[in-house]
Amino acid sequence: MAYYRRVGNVPPKRHTQHRTDDGGLYYEELMGEEGFSSDSSLLYHREIPSAIVDSQVWEPPDTTTTPNHPLKPRHLKLHDLFDARADTDVVTGRRLVLGNGDVRISYVVAGKESPLYRNALGDEVVYVESGAATVETVFGALEAGAGDYVIIPTSTTHRWLPRGDEPLRAYAIEANSHIAPPKRYLSRYGQLLEHAPYCERDLHGPDEPLLAEGTDVEVYVKHHAGGRVVGTRMVYPTHPFDVVGWDGCLYPYRFSIHDFEPITGRVHQPPPVHQVFEGHNFVVCNFVPRKVDYHPLAIPVPYYHSNVDSDEVMFYCGGDYSARKGSGIDQGSISVHPGGYSHGPQPGAYERSIGVQSVDELAVMVDTFRPLELGEGGLACEDPGYAWTWSGRGPGQ
């Protein structure tokens, strides 16, 4: 995120001596993307950040996938994956719903604090469906609630602490790349432009350092080994949250879906106007309450379309999604419409939408440019009748 921030105690010149009150040195760490050629931040630690005393295997949640074969649209009911106790955490309790070589989509309902965690595979965007949490990071803390995206850069040590009486429902999008605003929203120097549906004022990073004490502190690390996703549990002699200050353009931040300003027109606008982030070979869009098409002959629901180059995944997280009435889809549902399949509104929605002036819907969409496969969570919560809801007939009928 090329938007400069300075937090806490940093020296006036980078890569120079930064001394403690008793004359010792703070340890400078450069955290940067693309081998010193992209966004970075400098963090100043009280202790040596690379010191570890142990490294053991950690088995992360199941990441195996099953191809979508034979090809068909899918309806996944995520609220069926967890009971009301939420006796797990945001990191180790994730259940993989969909994935490919570029992105993994998981869901979790959490009531416990997570271990310290670092994803060394890529950036994460975690959407908070409901509940609230404090996200403690090596850069400082973020407060997140319903409707917030929390963007965590690759290899940022952090943990999730649910707060309040309501369990935390979280939808995690894990990339094998970096995640950023679409390039068309940015100036050549990285400022969000006037036509972008949000601006820097809507992005909330840590405001102050977060210092913690501790010895022999465990950090769970997700990474690649042998061509697959694996985990390691590293033990640090002192707490990683020892950063007294940092500055730069790489850091975690929070963005509320309610701060996204929808783009509308006289006739139906295509999904790219709803885009909020992009990664390698996938995009993230959100659909928010808005005025709809105002041409006198407009049909406000989406036209039928074939995503010939992508799979379309829609997570319905609030409001009333009129285009899907009669399909069984409700809040907490995911629809998966794969490339090679033409899809659109349910029967009757086309006609019912004529004359509608606004919609009250909330959804997070991920479009991928390689086929998605089903994770164990997706297989466990599928509605087997969804594919036949346009025709009203199942196989052999």
Side-chain angles (χ1 to χ4, degrees), residues 115-196:
L116 290 169
Y117 167 62
R118 180 187 308 138
N119 187 338
L121 298 169
D123 293 357
E124 293 190 0
V125 169
V126 180
Y127 178 80
V128 178
E129 180 190 359
S130 61
T134 300
V135 187
E136 294 183 345
T137 84
V138 70
F139 291 87
L142 299 170
E143 299 299 328
D148 282 337
Y149 291 100
V150 179
I151 296 83
I152 308 288
T154 309
S155 290
T156 298
T157 302
H158 67 284
R159 66 174 180 168
W160 288 78
L161 286 73
R163 51 183 172 81
D165 298 328
E166 184 179 3
L168 180 69
R169 294 182 176 271
Y171 183 73
I173 302 166
E174 301 178 26
N176 279 358
S177 63
H178 302 301
I179 297 172
K183 294 180 180 64
R184 68 181 182 278
Y185 293 171
L186 302 172
S187 76
R188 59 178 173 156
Y189 299 115
Q191 182 179 6
L192 285 160
L193 296 167
E194 281 293 301
H195 69 266

Side-chain angles (χ1 to χ4, degrees), residues 98 147 152 171-172 176 182 246 252 274 289 303 339 343 359 395:
L98 297 159
I152 308 288
Y171 183 73
N176 279 358
W246 61 271
H274 304 285
Y303 34 76
H343 68 281
V359 292

Side-chain angles (χ1 to χ4, degrees), residues 103-371:
V103 64
R104 292 167 302 283
I105 300 172
S106 301
Y107 188 72
V108 65
V109 181
K112 300 192 301 187
E113 67 179 49
S114 77
L116 290 169
Y117 167 62
R118 180 187 308 138
N119 187 338
L121 298 169
D123 293 357
E124 293 190 0
V125 169
V126 180
Y127 178 80
V128 178
E129 180 190 359
S130 61
T134 300
V135 187
E136 294 183 345
T137 84
V138 70
F139 291 87
L142 299 170
E143 299 299 328
D148 282 337
Y149 291 100
V150 179
I151 296 83
I152 308 288
T154 309
S155 290
T156 298
T157 302
H158 67 284
R159 66 174 180 168
W160 288 78
L161 286 73
R163 51 183 172 81
D165 298 328
E166 184 179 3
L168 180 69
R169 294 182 176 271
Y171 183 73
I173 302 166
E174 301 178 26
N176 279 358
S177 63
H178 302 301
I179 297 172
K183 294 180 180 64
R184 68 181 182 278
Y185 293 171
L186 302 172
S187 76
R188 59 178 173 156
Y189 299 115
Q191 182 179 6
L192 285 160
L193 296 167
E194 281 293 301
H195 69 266
Y198 57 95
C199 73
E200 287 83 358
R201 296 183 191 181
D202 302 318
L203 310 179
H204 306 281
D207 292 321
E208 59 186 9
L210 175 64
L211 297 172
E213 301 289 342
T215 57
D216 293 341
V217 179
E218 294 184 345
V219 177
Y220 289 58
V221 183
K222 187 182 291 181
H223 60 103
H224 272 136
R228 63 188 186 93
V229 177
V230 297
T232 293
R233 180 178 52 82
M234 291 185 174
V235 181
Y236 288 77
T238 57
H239 205 293
F241 293 167
D242 67 346
V243 173
V244 298
W246 61 271
D247 76 332
C249 296
L250 182 69
Y251 48 84
Y253 63 95
R254 173 181 61 83
F255 170 67
S256 173
I257 196 171
H258 305 297
D259 285 331
F260 186 89
E261 299 302 330
I263 298 169
T264 60
R266 292 187 75 219
V267 295
H268 195 81
Q269 300 298 293
V273 304
H274 304 285
Q275 189 177 350
V276 58
F277 303 116
E278 65 184 12
H280 176 66
N281 273 343
F282 74 94
V283 300
V284 181
C285 303
N286 46 216
F287 294 80
V288 300
R290 61 194 183 278
K291 297 286 188 183
V292 290
D293 324 328
Y294 50 89
H295 187 284
L297 298 179
I299 300 176
V301 296
Y303 34 76
Y304 292 87
H305 52 289
S306 297
N307 292 4
V308 296
D309 292 320
S310 62
D311 283 10
E312 179 190 285
V313 179
M314 190 81 79
F315 173 47
Y316 304 90
C317 46
D320 179 19
Y321 208 82
S322 58
R324 291 283 166 257
K325 284 189 182 299
S327 67
I329 283 176
D330 201 351
Q331 183 165 341
S333 290
I334 278 183
S335 62
V336 184
H337 296 140
Y341 167 74
S342 176
H343 68 281
Q346 303 302 132
Y350 216 56
E351 294 79 7
R352 288 193 304 268
S353 74
I354 294 173
V356 170
Q357 296 184 347
S358 63
V359 292
D360 178 23
E361 63 188 25
L362 206 60
V364 174
M365 186 175 81
V366 177
D367 270 13
T368 67
F369 297 100
R370 285 203 286 178

